[in-house]
Amino acid sequence: MMKHLITLPLIAVTMLLTSCGDKEKKTEATDTAAVVENPFFKESTLAYHTPDFSKISDADFQPAMEEGMKQNLAEIEAIANNPEAPTFENTLVAIEKGGQLLTRVYRVFNLLSGANTNPELQRIQEEEAPKMAAHEDAIYLNSKLFKRVETIYNERANLNLDAESVHLIEYYYQHFILAGAKLNDTDKDKLKKLNGEEASLTAKFTNQLLAAAKAGALTVDNVDALKGLSEGALEAAAKTAKDNGEAGKWQIPLQNTTQQPDLQNLSDRATREQLFNASWTRAEKGDANDTRATILRLAEIRIQQANILGYPNYAAWKLQDQMAKTPEAVETFLNQLIPAATAKAKREAKDIQALVDKQKGGFTAEAWDWNYYSEQVRKEKYDLDENEIKPYFELNNVLENGVFYAATQLYGITFKERKDLPVYQEDVRVFELFEEDGTSIGLFYCDYFKRDNKSGGAWMDNIVGQSKLMNTKPVIYNVCNFTKPAPGQPALISFDDVTTMFHEFGHALHGFFASQQYPSLSGTNTPRDFVEFPSQFNENWALNSKVLKNYAKHYKTGEPMPETLIAKIKKASTFNQGYSMTEILAAADLDMQWHTLGTNDKVTDVDAFEKEALKKTHLDLAQVPPRYRSSYFLHIWANGYSAGYYAYSWTEMLDHDAFQWFEENGGMTRKNGQYFRDMILSRGNTEDFGKLYRDFRGRDAKIDAMIKSRGLLE
C-alpha cells in the first residue's frame, strides 16, 4: 500500500490526523526556547536531511505543526496578495517552495503515528487533523490565490514553459477546482465544516481500529487449542501474551485483513472459529472501539461534500483525477472480473468440501475452515506444504538477496547498510542506495515486525521527497506486520510475506527513481489507480528463477531450495486465486457502493448495507468474505483509498500487461530494467497516465494477461 499523507508543500493531508483543541497561550520567551530546542525548526544536518530520531520527542510535534501552519499561511497570503502580475515563478513555484517546516514535521509524524504510536501521538493526531483540514481549505479556497492560478492556467500555452512546468499548472488548477475554489462563500463555509469533521472522524476511526485490533487478539489458556502451530509460533504467542500481562497463556494478535495467517495451521475447528470471529467482529463490539457510527457519519459527510461541489456522489468527485475517471468505468472493469473470479472460487469451495467429506468431518465448510483445508488441498493437488517452504524464506535473506538483488539486476543499483543513523524503533534497519557509477540515490528504512502500537497492513511513504527545485534526494520507508520470532529464532516468513516485501519495495523504487523538478509531481505523487502499478509489477520478480535461486536458501544449511520445490511453487501459483480475487473484488465493490451513495440513500445499519451490497453484485459468497469488512476497512475510511480500492485490481491489469512486455523482450535484463525505469518509474506525475503507459507499451493495457496469470480461465 502507498500512504499518500503528504503529497504537496501545500500539505494535502486530509487523512491521518484528526479533532480540534485549542493550545494554551505561551509567553514569547517560552516560544523562543521551544524554537531553539525543537529539532523540526531547522533542517536536519544528517545525511539526506533524514530526521534525527534520537533528538525528537512527542512534545516536539504539536508546536512544530502549529508554527508550520502559521508560516505556511503567511507564505500563501504573501503570494495571494502579491501586487505584481501573476507569473509561474511568483505563484506556483513560490507555492512549491513553501511549507517546508510543516512538511518536515508531518512526514515524521505520519510515520510514527502509523508505525510506532502511543496515547500522546494519538491525542495530537485527533487534535491536529481538523486544523490541518482547515489549513488546506485556507489555501485551496483562497479566492485571490485561485484567481492567480486561473490566470496562469488560461495563459499556459503562451508561457514557453517545459512540459513538466505546464503539467504543474494543470495539476494545480484541477486541484483547486476539485477542492471547491469556484464555490460561493456560503458553500465554501459549508464545505470547510464538513472537511473539518471528516478529518476528525478519520483520525478517530484510525485510533478506534488500532484499539479494537489490540483488544480483539485471541487469548487461550490451553495450548492444546493451538495444535498445528509450529514451535516457533507457539513461543511467539506465549511471549505476546506475557508482554500483554497474560503470562502463562498464549495470544494471537490480529492482522488487518479478515482472514488470519494462523487459520491455515490450526487443527482445532473451535479455535479457528474463535479466531475468525475475533477478526470479523473486532470493531463491532458495541464499545468505544466500535467503528460503525463513525463510518455512517463519514459516508454521510462524503455525500454532502460531493453534492456541494456539484457531483452526484463522492466517487464521481474523487475519480476526476484518476486513470478510470468515472464510477461507471470502475464498475465496467470490476464486472469483467467478478463472474470468472466467483466461478473459480465456487469450484475451489467444492474441492474443500470434498476433502472435509473425505475426512468424515460431518460439517459444511465455513469461512474459518477455508485456509486450513485449502492448504491441505494444495498439498494433495500440488504436493506443496507452506511449512516446507518457510525454512527457505528467512526475512533478512529475502530482503538482501531477493528484493535488493532483483533491483540490482534490473536497475544496477547497490545497497549499503547504515548503522550510524538513529532509528525510531530497535527493529528498524537503514540502507543507503547507489547508482552503478557510485552516485548516491537516497536512504531506505525498513520496519517489518508487527507491534501492538502499529497500524495493520503494509505501506511505503517518504520522510524526505525528491525534488530538483529543493535539491533533495528521497528518504523512504517500508512498514510491514510480520510476526516477530521469539528471541534467538529466525524470522521465517510465508511466500505471501515475501511477495509483500517485493510489493512495498516496488513503491520504494518508484520513489527512489523520481527525477522531477517540483515536489508535487515527484515520484509516487500519482493517482491511486496508477501508484500501485510499480509495486505490483515488482512482485513478479519474487518467482523469477534467477532471483529465487539467489534468496530461497534454507536458514540452517544454506542449501538452495530444491528445483522440485520451486517447480511446485510455480505450478501452484494459480491455486486459490478464485478466493483471492473474490475477496479483493468484494472489498473493492463495498468501497464503490459506499461511495456511490446519493442524497436520497439513507444507511442506518452498516452490516445490513454490507450484506445487501455484496448480494447485489453476486459477491455474497459465505465462504469467501471480503478482504476487509466495512467496519475495519482502514484503506477507505482513513488511508486515502476512498472510492479507490479498485486501484489494486486496475493496476494489477497494468502490472501483468507490463510484465508480458518483459517476457516478450528477453525478461530480466539491465536493458529492459532501464527502459522501464526511464518510461515509468522515473516519470512521477508529469503527464497523462494513459499516454504514459501507451508510450511504454505501444498500446493501452489489456486485461488478458491478468486473467491468465490468476488462472481464472479454467
Side-chain angles (χ1 to χ4, degrees):
M1 178 174 66
M2 171 63 219
K3 271 197 176 180
H4 266 321
L5 299 176
I6 295 190
T7 59
L8 320 172
L10 289 181
I11 314 296
V13 213
T14 56
M15 306 117 215
L16 186 67
L17 320 168
T18 306
S19 205
C20 243
D22 293 325
K23 281 182 29 170
E24 291 181 15
K25 292 183 179 178
K26 297 181 180 179
T27 64
E28 187 175 315
T30 304
D31 282 339
T32 302
V35 169
V36 171
E37 297 173 4
N38 194 309
F40 292 112
F41 281 83
K42 292 182 179 179
E43 259 190 346
S44 169
T45 58
L46 295 181
Y48 304 93
H49 308 295
T50 195
D52 187 343
F53 289 105
S54 69
K55 294 181 179 178
I56 296 170
S57 70
D58 293 347
D60 295 322
F61 288 107
Q62 213 158 9
M65 290 175 186
E66 299 282 348
E67 179 61 25
M69 284 187 278
K70 180 180 175 183
Q71 288 183 14
N72 191 209
L73 281 184
E75 292 162 349
I76 292 298
E77 285 299 316
I79 297 167
N81 294 306
N82 187 340
E84 297 178 7
T87 66
F88 181 76
E89 287 289 332
N90 71 20
T91 302
L92 296 183
V93 173
I95 293 173
E96 286 289 286
K97 289 181 176 179
Q100 293 307 304
L101 169 57
L102 194 51
T103 298
R104 257 195 318 273
V105 62
Y106 259 107
R107 280 185 164 153
V108 176
F109 184 78
N110 288 337
L111 165 58
L112 297 185
S113 60
N116 206 44
T117 194
N118 59 49
E120 175 63 8
L121 294 184
Q122 290 176 320
R123 179 193 67 77
I124 296 170
Q125 188 178 33
E126 295 205 17
E127 286 190 6
E128 291 299 315
K131 296 179 184 178
M132 274 303 306
H135 179 76
E136 186 175 352
D137 285 340
I139 297 170
Y140 281 115
L141 300 182
N142 184 313
S143 298
K144 291 181 179 179
L145 183 63
F146 174 63
K147 187 175 180 181
R148 295 179 71 88
V149 172
E150 187 174 37
T151 298
I152 297 166
Y153 175 80
N154 290 334
E155 296 174 352
R156 68 192 185 283
N158 303 314
L159 298 179
N160 296 317
L161 294 171
D162 61 89
E164 184 181 339
S165 297
V166 172
H167 193 73
L168 184 72
I169 296 171
E170 295 167 345
Y171 172 86
Y172 267 107
Y173 181 74
Q174 183 183 48
H175 275 67
F176 270 89
I177 296 297
L178 291 176
K182 286 195 171 183
L183 295 176
N184 61 46
D185 289 344
T186 300
D187 284 341
K188 282 182 179 179
D189 288 340
K190 289 179 184 177
L191 187 61
K192 288 175 184 178
K193 289 177 183 177
L194 290 170
N195 290 348
E197 187 180 356
E198 183 192 27
S200 294
L201 289 174
T202 57
K204 181 180 180 181
F205 177 88
T206 300
N207 294 332
Q208 281 180 311
L209 186 54
L210 185 64
K214 182 176 181 179
L218 178 65
T219 304
V220 300
D221 53 16
N222 183 355
V223 72
D224 289 341
L226 301 180
K227 283 181 179 176
L229 296 190
S230 68
E231 194 62 38
L234 289 173
E235 286 182 25
K239 184 178 185 301
T240 300
K242 183 179 180 181
D243 290 346
N244 291 322
E246 298 277 2
K249 298 182 181 181
W250 294 262
Q251 192 172 84
I252 300 176
L254 295 181
Q255 301 277 8
N256 64 321
T257 52
T258 296
Q259 289 285 13
Q260 300 296 302
D262 287 327
L263 288 169
Q264 179 176 289
N265 298 308
L266 288 166
S267 59
D268 185 87
R269 189 168 189 246
T271 305
R272 291 201 302 272
E273 184 175 4
Q274 286 179 331
L275 180 56
F276 179 88
N277 286 334
S279 172
W280 187 250
T281 64
R282 72 183 79 179
E284 299 194 354
K285 306 284 191 185
D287 58 8
N289 299 329
D290 193 311
T291 62
R292 287 174 290 185
T294 304
I295 63 180
L296 282 175
R297 180 57 187 151
L298 275 169
E300 265 184 350
I301 288 170
R302 289 174 178 178
I303 293 169
Q304 293 169 23
Q305 288 171 319
N307 288 170
I308 288 173
L309 288 159
Y311 295 93
N313 55 62
Y314 185 88
W317 171 35
K318 283 297 175 180
L319 291 173
Q320 293 293 305
D321 60 352
Q322 302 294 301
M323 284 187 76
K325 304 298 184 189
T326 67
E328 292 75 23
V330 173
E331 183 180 1
T332 299
F333 170 72
L334 295 178
N335 286 340
Q336 292 181 70
L337 296 170
I338 290 172
T342 54
K344 184 167 188 185
K346 289 172 183 176
R347 293 195 298 270
E348 293 165 354
K350 287 180 180 178
D351 289 343
I352 286 172
Q353 189 61 51
L355 183 59
V356 171
D357 295 342
K358 179 181 176 182
Q359 295 179 2
K360 301 189 185 323
F363 58 85
T364 300
E366 301 285 355
W368 50 86
D369 299 311
W370 189 288
N371 286 0
Y372 181 70
Y373 285 98
S374 68
E375 179 62 16
Q376 293 181 54
V377 170
R378 177 163 63 170
K379 291 176 187 176
E380 189 176 272
K381 275 194 169 187
Y382 303 99
D383 191 25
L384 185 62
D385 183 346
E386 182 72 36
N387 291 319
E388 186 184 2
I389 297 170
K390 278 187 174 182
Y392 293 93
F393 295 146
E394 191 278 319
L395 187 150
N396 292 319
N397 197 46
V398 172
L399 176 66
E400 296 182 47
N401 295 314
V403 175
F404 289 172
Y405 174 78
T408 300
Q409 298 306 302
L410 285 163
Y411 311 113
I413 61 175
T414 54
F415 304 80
K416 179 183 178 182
E417 187 161 13
R418 294 284 300 261
K419 296 188 177 182
D420 58 320
L421 296 172
V423 293
Y424 60 88
Q425 206 277 339
E426 60 183 5
D427 295 328
V428 177
R429 299 177 71 188
V430 186
F431 294 86
E432 188 170 9
L433 281 66
F434 299 91
E435 300 279 14
E436 278 180 305
D437 64 2
T439 304
S440 61
I441 299 173
L443 290 177
F444 175 62
Y445 290 68
C446 48
D447 178 3
Y448 288 127
F449 296 124
K450 180 174 177 56
R451 296 185 289 274
D452 282 343
N453 67 341
K454 181 191 280 190
S455 292
W459 64 93
M460 165 271 183
D461 211 339
N462 283 66
I463 310 177
V464 179
Q466 177 276 334
S467 167
K468 294 176 183 176
L469 179 70
M470 307 306 297
N471 195 29
T472 53
K473 292 184 177 183
V475 177
I476 290 171
Y477 58 90
N478 280 177
V479 177
C480 297
N481 271 278
F482 306 145
T483 299
K484 187 175 181 178
Q489 295 295 316
L492 304 181
I493 60 177
S494 69
F495 187 67
D496 280 348
D497 294 338
V498 170
T499 303
T500 297
M501 290 176 69
F502 275 85
H503 176 103
E504 297 306 333
F505 196 70
H507 281 308
L509 289 171
H510 195 188
F512 281 125
F513 293 156
S515 185
Q516 278 66 62
Q517 178 76 2
Y518 307 110
S520 294
L521 304 181
S522 179
T524 57
N525 290 333
T526 67
R528 290 294 182 195
D529 55 9
F530 187 87
V531 79
E532 296 295 338
F533 165 34
S535 55
Q536 295 194 150
F537 170 81
N538 203 54
E539 293 178 22
N540 289 290
W541 304 116
L543 268 180
N544 176 271
S545 297
K546 184 178 181 180
V547 178
L548 192 62
K549 288 176 182 177
N550 199 61
Y551 76 88
K553 297 182 179 179
H554 199 284
Y555 77 99
K556 284 184 178 178
T557 66
E559 290 296 311
M561 181 179 282
E563 288 290 341
T564 53
L565 191 52
I566 292 174
K568 289 177 186 178
I569 293 174
K570 291 183 176 180
K571 186 179 178 183
S573 63
T574 60
F575 175 73
N576 212 39
Q577 288 300 306
Y579 182 100
S580 177
M581 192 78 240
T582 299
E583 68 163 356
I584 289 171
L585 291 172
D589 182 70
L590 270 179
D591 171 31
M592 289 308 295
Q593 291 206 49
W594 275 113
H595 290 110
T596 50
L597 289 170
T599 307
N600 297 324
D601 298 313
K602 304 298 180 187
V603 180
T604 57
D605 186 322
V606 170
D607 296 340
F609 174 82
E610 179 175 286
K611 185 176 181 180
E612 185 58 32
L614 294 173
K615 182 179 179 182
K616 189 191 308 182
T617 48
H618 309 293
L619 285 161
D620 55 335
L621 280 62
Q623 294 159 317
V624 190
R627 185 169 176 82
Y628 303 98
R629 282 192 88 184
S630 303
S631 57
Y632 49 83
F633 207 161
L634 184 67
H635 286 74
I636 70 169
W637 300 122
N639 272 352
Y641 278 75
S642 46
Y645 192 73
Y646 77 92
Y648 285 98
S649 299
W650 182 281
T651 51
E652 187 180 341
M653 171 181 67
L654 301 179
D655 115 55
H656 286 300
D657 192 65
F659 190 66
Q660 186 180 64
W661 178 90
F662 269 77
E663 292 180 319
E664 293 166 355
N665 288 276
M668 176 179 265
T669 67
R670 271 290 291 116
K671 180 181 177 182
N672 287 345
Q674 192 64 43
Y675 179 69
F676 189 67
R677 174 177 176 173
D678 292 342
M679 299 299 288
I680 299 292
L681 297 179
S682 66
R683 304 300 293 277
N685 185 353
T686 56
E687 62 180 293
D688 176 81
F689 290 95
K691 180 181 183 301
L692 189 70
Y693 190 82
R694 286 190 294 275
D695 287 347
F696 158 70
R697 190 67 168 100
R699 57 165 173 77
D700 287 323
K702 297 180 180 179
I703 204 168
D704 309 48
M706 173 186 178
I707 291 176
K708 180 182 177 182
S709 178
R710 285 276 189 172
L712 300 182
L713 295 177
E714 296 175 14

